[in-house]
């Protein structure tokens, strides 16, 4: 096993009017020896600053779950960070 953190940035043009949401499937195992999770963050300034959208942890007990995260942005340089 490898320890540490990583990140994945997704650049999105969110300049169109209307509501936006991010959907993805997530799985994480509730392991007594490891404690991990994932934070999804939002930037509306091209990645200069980020605000957390959600924190996902091991409470899903190893089953795939559809995660839906509504977000607000009208920026053409929106970044979603995993």
């Amino acid at each position: 096993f490898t320890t540490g953190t990583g990140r994945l940035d997704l650049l999105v043009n969110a300049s169109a009017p209307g509501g936006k949401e991010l959907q993805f499937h997530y799985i994480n195992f509730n392991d007594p020896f490891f404690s991990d999770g994932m934070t999804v963050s939002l930037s509306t300034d091209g990645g200069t600053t980020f605000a957390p959208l959600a924190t996902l942890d091991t409470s899903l007990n190893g089953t795939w779950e559809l995660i839906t995260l509504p977000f607000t942005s009208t920026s053409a340089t929106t970044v979603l960070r995993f």
Side-chain angles (χ1 to χ4, degrees), residues 10-11 14 19 24 37 41 49 58 60-62 66 77:
L10 175 64
L11 179 62
F24 59 94
S41 300
T49 61
T58 58
L60 297 177
N61 295 320
L66 177 62
T77 59

Side-chain angles (χ1 to χ4, degrees), residues 58-82:
T58 58
S59 64
L60 297 177
N61 295 320
T63 59
W64 285 103
E65 298 285 337
L66 177 62
I67 306 297
T68 302
L69 302 175
F71 66 94
T72 302
S73 177
T74 56
S75 170
T77 59
T78 298
V79 180
L80 294 160
R81 175 170 283 175
F82 299 84

Side-chain angles (χ1 to χ4, degrees), residues 31-68:
D31 189 318
F33 300 105
F34 298 99
S35 176
D36 64 355
M38 180 175 72
T39 299
V40 181
S41 300
L42 172 71
S43 172
T44 59
D45 57 13
T48 301
T49 61
F50 284 88
L53 275 180
T55 299
L56 306 171
D57 58 22
T58 58
S59 64
L60 297 177
N61 295 320
T63 59
W64 285 103
E65 298 285 337
L66 177 62
I67 306 297
T68 302

